[in-house]
Amino acid sequence: MAALQNLFVPRARIATFDVTLRIEDLNNVPPLNGLFYAKWKCQTHGGSSPRVPVVNREVLWSHAVRQAVDIPIGRDGVLAPCELRIAIRQVS
């Protein structure tokens, strides 16, 4: 329901932020074969990192994403929540 309310917010009540998401590494990974990648989503924007193998029980990405995110401002003057989801996936 909150997503539908965000569609009808006047442009004057939307704040735009330049967000930089940096995915560095994953430590203490069990010795597994395959590739790992990080998948992320924030509102309508999303993406994934490159697929990287495990080396010395560590996955190193050093992947940075820069994106403009629009967050609505409520009638009380407070920014609406913006949830960021990050999932680490393995490809065999």
Side-chain angles (χ1 to χ4, degrees), residues 7-77:
L7 292 175
F8 304 110
V9 175
R11 193 73 190 148
R13 288 197 6 232
I14 294 180
T16 302
F17 292 90
D18 285 329
V19 176
T20 302
L21 174 66
R22 186 162 182 83
I23 303 170
E24 287 291 332
D25 59 12
L26 183 64
N27 296 317
N28 296 326
V29 178
L32 299 171
N33 290 331
L35 302 173
F36 284 82
Y37 68 99
K39 191 174 175 182
W40 62 273
K41 183 171 173 114
C42 180
Q43 286 182 344
T44 59
H45 308 293
S48 63
S49 68
R51 283 139 173 85
V52 178
V54 177
V55 177
N56 295 330
R57 299 189 64 164
E58 199 172 47
V59 181
L60 298 172
W61 285 290
S62 297
H63 181 71
V65 176
R66 187 169 185 178
Q67 185 72 45
V69 177
D70 294 332
I71 300 177
I73 301 170
R75 294 189 178 152
D76 56 356

